[in-house]
């Protein structure tokens, strides 16, 4: 029997991850994120199960190693928040959920695109106040527009298929050659030709601030930018400048560079201290959701199945099929 500490635990996850999840796996839930301040909670644990904003840097991993934790199980796809080199050096295995319903995230992108375009969020509020004025709600047809997908893996490809179904011309840009239905181009050409740009590559040293001042300059005037991948793919300050100058016509975000201080909790009664975020959401053509792309019943079930399979494999000394390799 292994003891697992489940960090950043939310109420909606507990039905999927009960305390006695499998014969060999016992789970304790912690609402706190795992980081240098909360790592003291890990005494007596064999494994930790973490999410996107837990901080598994070298210091935290070293302290996990000291108390005997031998597995970090990410219940998400991205692993940019884990120092893989330190984990390997310390003999701590890292596994993740490499794939769970890419359609969940792709369909959320579509929700952002359609809401920004047809302003259904504003229309909803107007109609509730008996305001049936259409001024300010003018949208555009997706049909015939060019959509650029940056990173055409599982989620990018799912979105490309959806947008092709709307009659968009789809361009893709990926670090790897792509086989298949969509035209692959250099990032600079994608930026110059796309009406809608959606980011789907992982965050790494190579992709940090992939979209900055120079890239905004290359975009069409009034382009729409969507990011559901990781916040730091976009240089937020350069993005605010692009919104101010109206170079960027629409911005839809499900992720934000400094989201770990904000997302996944109710901060209604606190003072917003992040001035950059406050400025961002003050624009009428910006729509931000709090990292909910993954949040469908189907995706949660798949995340739970894969994570529990990994924990059980670890508990019974079997190889981990979902292990993160250092070169990923
Ligand atoms: P994937 O691994 O299937 O695809 C990523 C693609 O990006 C690959 O084709 C890869 O070659 C490409 N890529 C890598 N570096 C690149 C670069 N410099 N330029 C262009 N392309 C590059 O990953 P998947 O499953 O499609 O997920 C993508 C990202 O979405 C994850 O890394 C994660 O950060 C994010 N995500 C967000 C969720 C949310 O709830 N908002 C949920 C799940 C994932």
């Amino acid at each position: 029997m292994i003891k697992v500490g489940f960090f950043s635990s939310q109420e909606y996850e507990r039905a999927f991850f009960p305390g006695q999840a499998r014969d060999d796996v016992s789970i304790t839930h912690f609402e706190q994120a795992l980081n240098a301040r909360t790592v003291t909670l890990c005494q007596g644990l064999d494994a930790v199960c973490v999410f996107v904003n837990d901080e598994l840097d070298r210091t935290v991993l070293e302290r996990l190693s000291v108390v005997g934790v031998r597995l970090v199980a990410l219940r998400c796809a991205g692993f940019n928040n884990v120092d893989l080199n330190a984990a390997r050096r310390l003999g701590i295995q890292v596994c993740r959920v490499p794939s769970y319903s890419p359609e969940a995230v792709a369909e959320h992108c579509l929700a952002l695109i359609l809401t920004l375009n047809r302003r259904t969020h504003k229309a909803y509020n107007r109609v509730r106040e008996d305001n049936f004025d259409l001024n300010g709600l003018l949208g555009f047809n997706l049909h015939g527009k060019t959509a650029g997908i940056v990173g055409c893996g599982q989620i990018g490809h799912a979105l490309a298929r959806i947008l092709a179904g709307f009659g968009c011309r789809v361009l893709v840009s990926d670090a790897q050659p792509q086989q298949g239905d969509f035209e692959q181009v250099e990032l600079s050409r994608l930026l110059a030709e796309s009406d809608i740009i959606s980011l789907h590559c992982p965050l790494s040293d190579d992709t940090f601030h992939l979209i900055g001042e120079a890239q905004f300059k290359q975009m069409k005037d009034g382009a729409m930018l969507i990011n559901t991948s990781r916040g730091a793919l976009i240089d937020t300050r350069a993005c605010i400048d692009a919104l101010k100058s109206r170079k960027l016509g629409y911005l839809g975000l499900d992720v934000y560079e400094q989201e770990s201080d904000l997302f996944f909790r109710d901060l209604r009664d606190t003072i917003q201290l992040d001035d950059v975020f406050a400025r961002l959401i003050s624009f009428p053509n910006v729509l931000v959701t709090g990292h909910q792309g993954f949040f469908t019943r189907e995706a949660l079930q798949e995340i739970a199945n894969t994570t529990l399979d990994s924990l059980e494999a670890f508990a019974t000394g079997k190889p981990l099929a979902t292990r993160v390799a250092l070169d990923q």
Side-chain angles (χ1 to χ4, degrees), residues 100 153-155 174-175 200-202 207 228-230 254 291 294:
Y100 56 90
Q154 299 181 80
I155 297 169
D174 198 287
H200 300 286
C201 48
T207 60
T228 59
S229 194
R230 285 292 180 269
D254 189 45
H291 209 134
F294 72 99

Side-chain angles (χ1 to χ4, degrees), residues 51-52 76-80 96-102 104-105 108 149-157 173-178 187 199-204 206-207 210 227-231 233 254-255 264 291-295 303:
F51 198 50
V52 291
C76 53
F79 46 85
N80 51 288
R96 63 178 178 137
V97 185
S99 170
Y100 56 90
S101 187
V105 186
H108 189 70
I149 310 284
V150 182
C152 196
Q154 299 181 80
I155 297 169
H157 204 258
S173 165
D174 198 287
Q176 304 295 328
Q178 297 289 299
L187 179 62
L199 307 180
H200 300 286
C201 48
L203 177 61
S204 65
D206 290 341
T207 60
L210 184 73
N227 186 12
T228 59
S229 194
R230 285 292 180 269
L233 294 180
D254 189 45
V255 288
F264 304 119
H291 209 134
Q292 68 176 80
F294 72 99
F295 201 49
I303 289 170

Side-chain angles (χ1 to χ4, degrees), residues 196-218:
I196 300 165
I197 298 156
S198 194
L199 307 180
H200 300 286
C201 48
L203 177 61
S204 65
D205 291 346
D206 290 341
T207 60
F208 178 79
H209 286 185
L210 184 73
I211 306 295
E213 192 184 345
Q215 288 70 32
F216 284 112
K217 283 198 179 125
Q218 291 171 38

Side-chain angles (χ1 to χ4, degrees), residues 15-31:
F16 294 93
F17 290 93
Q20 191 61 58
R22 298 273 170 95
D23 286 348
D24 300 306
V25 178
S26 159
I27 292 180
T28 305
H29 287 265
F30 298 100
E31 282 178 19

